[in-house]
Amino acid sequence: MMTRSKTPLTIPKQADRVLSIQSHVVHGYVGNKAATFPLQTLNWDVDVLNSVNFSNHTGYGSWKGHSCTGEEIEQLFEGLEGIHTHYEAILTGYIHGSSALMCVGQKCISIKSSYPETLWLLDPVMGDEGQLYVSEDAIPIYRDILCCRLVDIITPNQFELELLLDVKITSLESLKVAVNLVHKEYNVKYLVISSLTLTAEDLGLGSAKKGKMYSCISSAESGKIVFFEIDKYDSYFTGVGDLFSALLLDRLYKTRDVIISTNQVLTIMSKVLYVTRELCLKDLGKEVKAKMGDSRSMKECELRIVECMDMYSEDDCDYTPFELS
């Protein structure tokens, strides 16, 4: 029989509960593999629902595994409903196939309708730099989900935002129009555009800056549109958006300040990418730039999620927010 130590025991704070619906890979860090462990270190009890179960992410050029159908996801939700689960937050990322996406949308809308206080972050993972990762029939389904006006936060890149709104963003003015549409048409409280393809010149900041890109943040409550200038890495890292969204969910749930939250998360992400590059350099003796379809470089450039575990709770803000008139 075990006996408890006589040393006074401090009972820790009970973990908050989040339902994370994303992809899963056996090897590497994307989707739920990139989000779950960091959230657990931040005192989240994570219920993991995998939309796909692959050996590795598709950037390797070859993979094996299975994508969940809408019917299979429906069965999983029926099981969760049967044991009366409740969540403080929902995180939705990459979902393969229109039937699966439709099912996830319906179920998350049902949860938010029953528990309005549940925080829902939707990352509409559809593509980047003009390339779709999903079939085109996913686009109207994402629009239908947003039309429920229950999603709290969305974290698209510029290409994904253009797909959602069916608009082309080519300037600061067209960006402002798009941001206002998100808040007014879809009632989204927080919009965080993780990466803009608009250059400094497009934004009216002067000549384009080499190695720099911009992130855009907006809150419906304040009406402000704020920018951060961030480093652009000359390599392809997967799982970055998934980790970003998970950490942003944590910060926004705790602070409800989207500017400070984004600043903290961008700072952490910069450190994670730095550690990933440095450890890769240490292992191989040279810098590796990951390329789509190149399994060797992809493997070496997987995010160092475990090694960076002490960074996820940091609250440093290394970036300076600025507004543009």
Side-chain angles (χ1 to χ4, degrees):
M1 180 178 177
M2 293 183 63
T3 57
R4 188 175 66 81
S5 169
K6 293 182 180 180
T7 303
L9 180 63
T10 302
I11 303 300
K13 176 184 178 293
Q14 183 168 312
D16 293 307
R17 290 156 297 190
V18 58
L19 174 62
S20 181
I21 309 171
Q22 302 189 68
S23 60
H24 169 76
V25 290
V26 177
H27 173 81
Y29 293 95
V30 298
N32 274 324
K33 278 287 292 289
T36 302
F37 177 68
L39 284 170
Q40 289 171 331
T41 69
L42 295 167
N43 204 40
W44 284 93
D45 185 0
V46 188
D47 276 7
V48 178
L49 198 162
N50 297 321
S51 59
V52 305
N53 187 24
F54 288 168
S55 56
N56 49 271
H57 70 72
T58 58
Y60 280 73
S62 65
W63 67 94
K64 298 291 183 180
H66 169 71
S67 301
C68 281
T69 65
E71 183 178 356
E72 289 168 332
I73 291 177
E74 174 79 30
Q75 291 174 353
L76 293 174
F77 269 104
E78 286 178 3
L80 293 174
E81 292 161 1
I83 58 173
H84 308 291
T85 54
H86 172 65
Y87 302 103
E88 277 73 46
I90 304 169
L91 174 61
T92 52
Y94 177 78
I95 298 161
H96 181 83
S98 56
S99 70
L101 179 58
M102 193 175 300
C103 177
V104 169
Q106 291 169 349
K107 293 299 181 180
C108 291
I109 289 169
S110 177
I111 292 172
K112 273 289 289 186
S113 298
S114 299
Y115 302 97
E117 71 281 2
T118 298
L119 188 68
W120 182 2
L121 187 152
L122 185 151
D123 184 7
V125 182
M126 291 185 287
D128 197 5
E129 297 181 350
Q131 181 182 354
L132 271 175
Y133 301 154
V134 297
S135 60
E136 289 189 8
D137 57 6
I139 300 170
I141 297 174
Y142 271 115
R143 291 174 185 159
D144 288 343
I145 292 172
L146 289 173
C147 281
C148 75
R149 298 174 64 83
L150 294 173
V151 177
D152 298 292
I153 318 156
I154 61 171
T155 56
N157 56 43
Q158 181 176 323
F159 176 61
E160 289 164 339
L161 184 60
E162 290 173 336
L163 291 175
L164 289 173
L165 301 176
D166 194 22
V167 300
K168 196 65 179 174
I169 299 170
T170 58
S171 64
L172 177 60
E173 289 307 312
S174 57
L175 175 62
K176 288 179 179 179
V177 171
V179 169
N180 287 329
L181 272 174
V182 169
H183 293 311
K184 291 180 180 179
E185 294 298 316
Y186 297 133
N187 195 39
V188 172
K189 296 182 182 69
Y190 307 108
L191 168 64
V192 178
I193 307 173
S194 54
S195 61
L196 290 170
T197 53
L198 292 178
T199 65
E201 192 172 15
D202 295 329
L203 294 171
L205 294 169
S207 59
K209 298 183 180 180
K210 186 177 180 180
K212 298 293 182 181
M213 60 190 300
Y214 298 91
S215 181
C216 174
I217 298 91
S218 177
S219 168
E221 185 177 14
S222 69
K224 289 183 179 180
I225 301 177
V226 173
F227 297 86
F228 289 103
E229 183 180 79
I230 56 179
D231 293 325
K232 183 176 183 179
Y233 287 89
D234 185 22
S235 185
Y236 185 87
F237 293 98
T238 57
V240 174
D242 305 321
L243 176 59
F244 177 88
S245 293
L247 295 176
L248 184 64
L249 174 75
D250 169 74
R251 293 308 195 279
L252 266 176
Y253 180 79
K254 294 170 179 174
T255 70
R256 304 292 167 150
D257 188 316
V258 70
I259 297 175
I260 291 176
S261 294
T262 304
N263 202 337
Q264 290 178 356
V265 174
L266 287 173
T267 302
I268 294 168
M269 294 304 305
S270 177
K271 294 177 180 179
V272 171
L273 290 175
Y274 178 78
V275 168
T276 298
R277 293 181 68 183
E278 288 300 304
L279 288 179
C280 181
L281 180 63
K282 182 179 179 181
D283 288 345
L284 300 177
K286 63 180 180 179
E287 186 173 357
V288 174
K289 297 179 181 179
K291 297 178 182 178
M292 289 290 287
D294 181 355
S295 62
R296 173 70 186 278
S297 64
M298 280 291 175
K299 188 173 183 181
E300 298 300 339
C301 291
E302 292 281 3
L303 294 179
R304 303 301 178 113
I305 294 291
V306 175
E307 292 90 335
C308 294
M309 64 182 295
D310 292 334
M311 298 177 183
Y312 304 136
S313 60
E314 293 179 359
D315 58 5
D316 297 339
C317 292
D318 289 353
Y319 296 91
T320 302
F322 62 92
E323 296 180 54
L324 295 173
S325 57

